Amino acid sequence: GQQLNQSPQSMFIQEGEDVSMNCTSSSIFNTWLWYKQDPGEGPVLLIALYKAGELTSNGRLTAQFGITRKDSFLNISASIPSDVGIYFCAGVFNYGGSQGNLIFGKGTKLSVKP
Amino acid sequence: NAGVTQTPKFQVLKTGQSMTLQCAQDMNHNSMYWYRQDPGMGLRLIYYSASEGTTDKGEVPNGYNVSRLNKREFSLRLESAAPSQTSVYFCASSLQELAKNIQYFGAGTRLSVL
């Protein structure tokens, strides 16, 4: 079945640092989405990517849709404490004859450096 | 703005008990979804409804049933709860247009089965 490999699994951030995470797959996706989940809440969409090679920004966040359509990355510049949470990538693919279902990576957990 | 509303927020069941998780959206979306989230596993699709009157199995449907009551509401039923169904359950909805499947999530139901 479809699988997304998201890395790193976890990382510690210090305020002001830049952060990078990525997702890869052996399958091709039509769309890549990046979500953030705060504790006790549902995932919230950060960025949507629709075309191979597309680079999209949302404030301090920048995401790219890989040219091969098998990967995507998310960068956070100048991190702040409220960036802490779990970040998920998701790819849109065809499933069971019905177009456009999502498959999620296992998440990257951002925590503050002690 | 309500978005996607899930009830209850928390639930504790004994093995063998049944219950229904409720979900309603007010965004006039055609598609609705149920996911479960387990530590280190990301989000896994249980069932989805591409449109009113249709439902289909996702990746992990065993032990669950769903009902798309109308365009707004999509419920998830556990007929005989098992400890393996202890998880956080998320409902989502989307205005699915080909590959642009941006899903909006509720805040989740935290279920413990003893």
Side-chain angles (χ1 to χ4, degrees):
Chain A
Q2 309 269 358
Q3 275 195 326
L4 289 185
N5 300 309
Q6 185 171 351
S7 66
Q9 280 187 311
S10 63
M11 56 195 309
F12 289 90
I13 60 171
Q14 198 151 31
E15 190 168 353
E17 286 181 337
D18 294 346
V19 171
S20 290
M21 61 192 79
N22 67 81
C23 272
T24 61
S25 175
S26 57
S27 304
I28 289 173
F29 290 96
N30 301 320
T31 296
W32 284 95
L33 305 174
W34 284 93
Y35 286 87
K36 184 192 177 199
Q37 185 179 24
D38 291 324
E41 300 293 331
V44 174
L45 182 71
L46 298 173
I47 291 179
L49 301 159
Y50 301 114
K51 286 192 257 188
E54 181 180 355
L55 187 71
T56 297
S57 293
N58 178 6
R60 294 177 296 105
L61 277 61
T62 301
Q64 184 158 28
F65 192 145
I67 290 175
T68 64
R69 293 168 61 195
K70 294 182 179 181
D71 61 351
S72 178
F73 72 76
L74 176 70
N75 284 346
I76 305 173
S77 63
S79 58
I80 60 178
S82 62
D83 289 333
V84 163
I86 302 177
Y87 292 78
F88 291 99
C89 61
V92 178
F93 69 102
N94 294 349
Y95 185 93
S98 178
Q99 203 165 9
N101 281 338
L102 296 183
I103 183 165
F104 284 84
K106 294 183 179 180
T108 295
K109 185 176 181 180
L110 255 58
S111 305
V112 176
K113 271 183 189 172
Chain B
N1 295 333
V4 179
T5 303
Q6 290 184 238
T7 56
K9 291 192 186 304
F10 301 94
Q11 184 72 49
V12 179
L13 293 176
K14 293 181 180 177
T15 297
Q17 285 186 313
S18 62
M19 80 160 294
T20 300
L21 281 63
Q22 307 287 352
C23 176
Q25 52 93 9
D26 62 3
M27 296 176 281
N28 201 33
H29 286 168
N30 55 325
S31 299
M32 297 185 74
Y33 310 81
W34 276 105
Y35 292 89
R36 61 178 288 172
Q37 184 178 34
D38 301 296
M41 297 294 291
L43 287 144
R44 293 183 292 169
L45 184 65
I46 305 172
Y47 270 93
Y48 66 99
S49 171
S51 60
E52 189 178 352
T54 69
T55 61
D56 286 287
K57 294 178 180 179
E59 181 186 355
V60 288
N62 291 346
Y64 305 96
N65 284 302
V66 289
S67 295
R68 183 74 182 266
L69 304 170
N70 47 55
K71 191 171 186 179
R72 289 187 65 247
E73 297 172 289
F74 188 38
S75 62
L76 177 72
R77 182 158 178 86
L78 286 69
E79 289 291 351
S80 178
S84 61
Q85 294 178 305
T86 293
S87 188
V88 182
Y89 291 85
F90 288 100
C91 176
S93 71
S94 71
L95 185 63
Q96 188 170 284
E97 296 174 313
L98 297 178
K100 294 187 178 181
N101 186 8
I102 295 178
Q103 295 184 13
Y104 297 87
F105 287 82
T109 295
R110 282 141 189 86
L111 176 68
S112 293
V113 183
L114 307 177

